[in-house]
Amino acid sequence: MPGTRNPEGRMPLREHLLELRKRLFLASCGLVVGGVAGWFLYDPLLAVLRHPLDLAASTQGKQISLNFTALGSPLDMQIKVALFLAAIITAPWWLYQLWAFVTPGLTRRERLYAYSFVGAAVPLFIAGLALAWWVLPHAVDMLTAFIPQGTSGLFTAQEYLSFVMRLLLAFGLSFVLPVLLVALNFAGLLRHETLAKGWRWAVLVGFVFAAVMTPTPDAWTMILVALPICLLYFAAVGVATLHDRRADRRRVAAAS
């Protein structure tokens, strides 16, 4: 049956693919349910997402507005915004499916790990969204400042809202990544030594990500964005180290 393991603790390729299909189906069902809620909340959500643009228009005294340039754009945009909200409100569900796929055939202890994983991942995902929402008005204000006086900034709704949604999801997922690394470590797929050796690359990626996602001219904003990402990575290394040491001691005790 799907989710079973062979004596070496590994799943055959066919059952691994069946498990992947199962988890994708369950995650998709959750997104569909969340998408229905997002469809009916489209108007207030659109107003919230548009707020940084309206704020830039009021502070700079310029005409800055969103435009739908194609006949099907409003419908397409409503579907995208609904799915965006679905990805946020169903985060506990699809994050659990992610963990369940990484560790199929969950034992009782692994199920406790799964709940802990979701319990840690969801607040971090929300924290990443909050940080992105703090960065967004600064980024929008800086970018729209290049609009010459006497002209109007007319942005297509597709481009602007896609930019906002990518920014929010990128920050949210970047905050969840360290928890995923811990999950892989608890599943026995990643040792803490590997994580520790890659700390330089992790710091570099964190600062590059912050530089790309915060197109503001000051370095402090980039540092404030990069620091939480780097600290979460080092926290993941610490948790993985403690787990591996306990697992090694149990292994030695069982062998003796």
Side-chain angles (χ1 to χ4, degrees):
M1 62 182 291
T4 59
R5 303 181 184 183
N6 60 28
E8 289 75 26
R10 298 179 180 177
M11 293 178 62
L13 177 60
R14 179 177 178 275
E15 296 201 3
H16 201 68
L17 294 175
L18 289 174
E19 184 71 15
L20 174 62
R21 185 179 68 177
K22 172 186 174 182
R23 297 302 167 186
L24 288 176
F25 174 75
L26 291 174
S28 300
C29 289
L31 289 173
V32 169
V33 173
V36 172
W39 179 271
F40 291 104
L41 295 173
Y42 172 69
D43 289 334
L45 183 60
L46 180 63
V48 171
L49 294 176
R50 199 183 61 221
H51 177 69
L53 206 60
D54 296 337
L55 186 62
S58 62
T59 56
Q60 297 178 23
K62 299 176 182 177
Q63 182 183 353
I64 303 174
S65 62
L66 291 181
N67 290 272
F68 293 94
T69 58
L71 186 62
S73 293
L75 175 61
D76 183 55
M77 201 68 257
Q78 185 163 351
I79 294 173
K80 286 184 177 180
V81 172
L83 291 177
F84 170 71
L85 181 62
I88 294 177
I89 63 178
T90 64
W93 176 249
W94 56 261
L95 285 171
Y96 176 82
Q97 300 306 320
L98 175 62
W99 169 264
F101 172 68
V102 172
T103 56
L106 296 177
T107 65
R108 182 176 180 181
R109 173 175 290 185
E110 287 171 337
R111 281 196 296 270
L112 292 177
Y113 288 158
Y115 299 143
S116 300
F117 166 72
V118 175
V122 171
L124 287 174
F125 182 73
I126 295 173
L129 294 179
L131 181 60
W133 191 252
W134 174 76
V135 169
L136 181 61
H138 300 282
V140 171
D141 186 65
M142 190 276 292
L143 293 173
T144 54
F146 290 97
I147 300 175
Q149 290 292 338
T151 63
S152 300
L154 304 178
F155 302 103
T156 64
Q158 289 271 17
E159 292 178 353
Y160 172 73
L161 294 176
S162 295
F163 166 75
V164 173
M165 290 185 288
R166 282 198 304 267
L167 181 71
L168 293 172
L169 289 177
F171 271 84
L173 293 176
S174 69
F175 272 51
V176 173
L177 181 59
V179 184
L180 178 60
L181 295 177
V182 171
L184 293 174
N185 172 260
F186 274 51
L189 302 175
L190 185 64
R191 292 280 300 181
H192 73 276
E193 294 91 348
T194 303
L195 291 174
K197 289 178 182 177
W199 73 268
R200 293 179 180 84
W201 285 105
V203 171
L204 177 62
V205 170
F207 274 87
V208 170
F209 174 83
V212 172
M213 291 298 180
T214 56
T216 52
D218 62 295
W220 284 111
T221 302
M222 181 190 70
I223 294 173
L224 289 174
V225 170
L227 277 180
I229 298 173
C230 296
L231 289 176
L232 286 171
Y233 181 85
F234 286 114
V237 174
V239 173
T241 301
L242 293 175
H243 174 262
D244 284 347
R245 287 178 178 175
R246 286 197 299 265
D248 292 342
R249 283 197 297 267
R250 287 195 299 267
R251 194 177 298 110
V252 171
S256 60

